[in-house]
Amino acid sequence: QLAAVHLVDSHYCTDPGKFISVLCTSLSTMLHVELPHVNVLSKMDLLEQYGKLAFNLDYYTEVLDLSYLVEHLASDPFFRNYRRLNEKLVEVIEDYSLVSFVPLNVQDKESMRQVMQAVDKANGYSFGDQEHRSLEALMSAAVGADFHFTSTLAVQERYVQAQDKTVEEEAMEL
């Protein structure tokens, strides 16, 4: 049983234009490859080095209301001329409603486990007779939703703590 795993560097989240192109690439790949598909935001441990996110991390992993992203793009003089194009691209992504991401930090065992569970669920391995079935895995399969909010929250908390440390260090230098 095969599943496609699409790894995307998390630094694309810091630039709205690049994130929209990643969403389009992920959606196109999902539609053309015709395999169960898992999108992974990799290098989450390095996210604070790339800069500040415009929105919370769950906005990027769950691909929430993208109109906010288009509004954020409108502040950039280059993208202001392409507002209508960006609105249409976002509309296509939202109409399909297929793209979401699982955060991956290779230094965190729980993060690795979440990605493995997502892949196992995508290729049907989690439904096998030999696999131990937890209530969380069964509920995820039953309602068609992934319960990895806690892993996203943990990554978000580490990111915010790193940002707070940076602000404190800058204040100490002044």
Side-chain angles (χ1 to χ4, degrees):
Q1 296 176 353
L2 295 175
V5 178
H6 183 215
L7 292 173
V8 175
D9 283 344
S10 61
H11 81 273
Y12 290 121
C13 296
T14 59
D15 183 354
K18 289 179 182 177
F19 188 66
I20 287 177
S21 68
V22 162
L23 292 172
C24 290
T25 302
S26 297
L27 179 61
S28 176
T29 303
M30 291 173 79
L31 295 174
H32 285 88
V33 172
E34 296 181 5
L35 283 173
H37 201 94
V38 177
N39 295 306
V40 177
L41 272 178
S42 65
K43 300 181 184 178
M44 294 304 292
D45 52 324
L46 303 176
L47 186 59
E48 64 268 1
Q49 295 177 5
Y50 300 134
K52 186 161 175 51
L53 294 176
F55 307 103
N56 285 336
L57 185 61
D58 61 339
Y59 179 84
Y60 299 98
T61 57
E62 300 302 322
V63 188
L64 301 172
D65 185 11
L66 295 176
S67 63
Y68 295 114
L69 198 60
V70 173
E71 292 299 323
H72 190 68
L73 269 174
S75 63
D76 188 333
F78 176 76
F79 289 109
R80 192 175 300 131
N81 297 333
Y82 302 101
R83 181 183 177 102
R84 183 116 169 99
L85 173 65
N86 289 322
E87 287 173 350
K88 291 300 180 184
L89 287 172
V90 163
E91 188 178 308
V92 167
I93 294 165
E94 287 179 334
D95 285 349
Y96 276 97
S97 189
L98 293 175
V99 183
S100 65
F101 294 93
V102 179
L104 173 63
N105 176 355
V106 295
Q107 298 175 356
D108 182 19
K109 271 186 167 181
E110 181 61 26
S111 174
M112 293 291 288
R113 189 179 68 74
Q114 291 290 334
V115 171
M116 286 179 16
Q117 281 183 337
V119 173
D120 286 346
K121 180 183 171 190
N123 70 11
Y125 179 75
S126 61
F127 302 112
D129 294 334
Q130 306 300 323
E131 186 66 25
H132 170 71
R133 294 183 179 154
S134 68
L135 178 60
E136 180 179 321
L138 290 175
M139 288 300 292
S140 291
V143 298
D146 293 322
F147 294 120
H148 51 258
F149 174 74
T150 54
S151 66
T152 303
L153 183 63
V155 172
Q156 176 70 24
E157 287 175 358
R158 283 193 293 274
Y159 174 74
V160 169
Q161 288 173 355
Q163 290 294 324
D164 290 344
K165 281 183 183 179
T166 305
V167 170
E168 288 175 10
E169 290 171 358
E170 290 174 357
M172 295 296 273
E173 290 177 1
L174 295 176

